[in-house]
């Protein structure tokens, strides 16, 4: 009987099945963008100490994702809003994850400096993305031989580049 089982197992090609099972068992982890990482860092610092929210000017709010903007706005209104029962399960999970991250972080970081660094990096990332968009638009305008649009976009590109160099 054992010989029959071995023959049947060889026919079934167990190695392929094991590989398929291993692939199916791997958890899917979403790759986060740099911007998301910086936003989460800011949020974890604010959740750790709500007074850190005072280091974030409302001028920076347009740079954030809608979720981060919403959380910061709610925290300004009510520092303990994340303890509310009415929060969506997704938001609760996200905030719990951030709270967990803040608990395992080292405490040697100066929150104000860290927040300022994250804000600068977010601003830099957004500016670089805008430069890429303008660059693509210039290429398209060149293909269309639209000199007026090329001139306008080139000036916009130069102005944004100059602002980046000043910071």
């Amino acid at each position: 009987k054992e010989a029959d089982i071995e023959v049947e197992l060889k026919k079934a090609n167990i190695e392929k099945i094991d590989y398929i099972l291993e692939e199916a068992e791997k958890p899917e982890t979403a790759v986060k963008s740099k911007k998301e990482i910086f936003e989460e860092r800011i949020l974890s610092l604010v959740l750790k100490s709500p007074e850190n929210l005072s280091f974030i000017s409302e001028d920076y709010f347009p740079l954030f994702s809608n979720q981060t903007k919403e959380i910061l706005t709610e925290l300004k209104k009510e520092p303990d809003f994340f303890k509310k029962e009415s929060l969506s399960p997704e938001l609760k999970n996200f905030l719990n994850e951030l709270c967990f991250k803040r608990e395992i972080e080292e405490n040697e970081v100066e929150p104000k400096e860290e927040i300022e660094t994250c804000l600068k990096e977010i601003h830099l990332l957004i500016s670089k993305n805008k430069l890429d968009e303008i660059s693509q638009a210039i290429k398209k305008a060149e293909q269309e031989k639209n000199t007026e649009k090329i001139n306008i976009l080139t000036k916009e590109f130069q102005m944004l580049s100059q602002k980046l160099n000043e910071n």
Side-chain angles (χ1 to χ4, degrees):
K1 284 189 172 185
E2 282 185 25
D4 292 339
I5 292 173
E6 286 180 12
V7 170
E8 290 300 318
L9 287 175
K10 287 180 182 175
K11 286 181 185 175
N13 203 352
I14 295 298
E15 291 176 20
K16 283 186 179 179
I17 293 173
D18 287 343
Y19 177 75
I20 291 169
L21 288 175
E22 286 174 14
E23 288 296 312
E25 291 172 359
K26 289 183 182 176
E28 291 186 30
T29 54
V31 177
K32 294 182 180 177
S33 70
K34 287 182 180 181
K35 182 176 181 268
E36 289 172 317
I37 292 169
F38 287 124
E39 286 184 12
E40 286 182 7
R41 181 74 180 130
I42 289 170
L43 286 172
S44 70
L45 289 166
V46 171
L47 288 170
K48 186 174 189 174
S49 301
E51 64 271 8
N52 291 335
L53 190 56
S54 65
F55 302 136
I56 306 171
S57 160
E58 296 228 2
D59 296 340
Y60 287 105
F61 278 43
L63 302 177
F64 297 127
S65 67
N66 288 337
Q67 184 179 31
T68 300
K69 220 182 302 188
E70 178 184 340
I71 293 169
L72 291 174
T73 303
E74 289 298 322
L75 283 169
K76 273 195 177 224
K77 291 180 198 171
E78 185 178 343
D80 287 338
F81 104 98
F82 59 93
K83 295 178 182 174
K84 285 184 177 179
E85 293 297 319
S86 61
L87 296 177
S88 71
E90 295 84 19
L91 187 56
K92 277 184 186 179
N93 288 338
F94 179 68
L95 292 171
N96 285 336
E97 182 182 320
L98 290 176
C99 288
F100 177 71
K101 283 181 184 178
R102 81 166 184 223
E103 286 175 11
I104 60 173
E105 289 175 348
E106 70 284 349
N107 291 327
E108 298 174 19
V109 176
E110 176 60 42
K112 183 178 185 204
E113 291 174 16
E114 185 73 10
I115 288 172
E116 286 174 354
T117 300
C118 290
L119 290 170
K120 285 179 187 175
E121 290 298 323
I122 290 171
H123 188 346
L124 183 65
L125 288 168
I126 290 172
S127 297
K128 284 182 177 180
N129 287 342
K130 182 66 177 163
L131 285 173
D132 286 343
E133 289 173 14
I134 295 170
S135 177
Q136 295 301 318
I138 290 172
K139 286 179 185 176
K140 185 178 177 185
E142 286 172 345
Q143 289 173 349
E144 297 169 353
K145 299 186 185 333
N146 186 341
T147 54
E148 184 180 338
K149 192 171 185 178
I150 293 170
N151 291 336
I152 292 169
L153 290 169
T154 303
K155 285 179 185 174
E156 186 178 346
F157 187 92
Q158 289 170 343
M159 285 178 19
L160 188 53
S161 295
Q162 188 175 2
K163 282 183 184 178
L164 274 176
N165 289 333
E166 290 171 1
N167 295 333

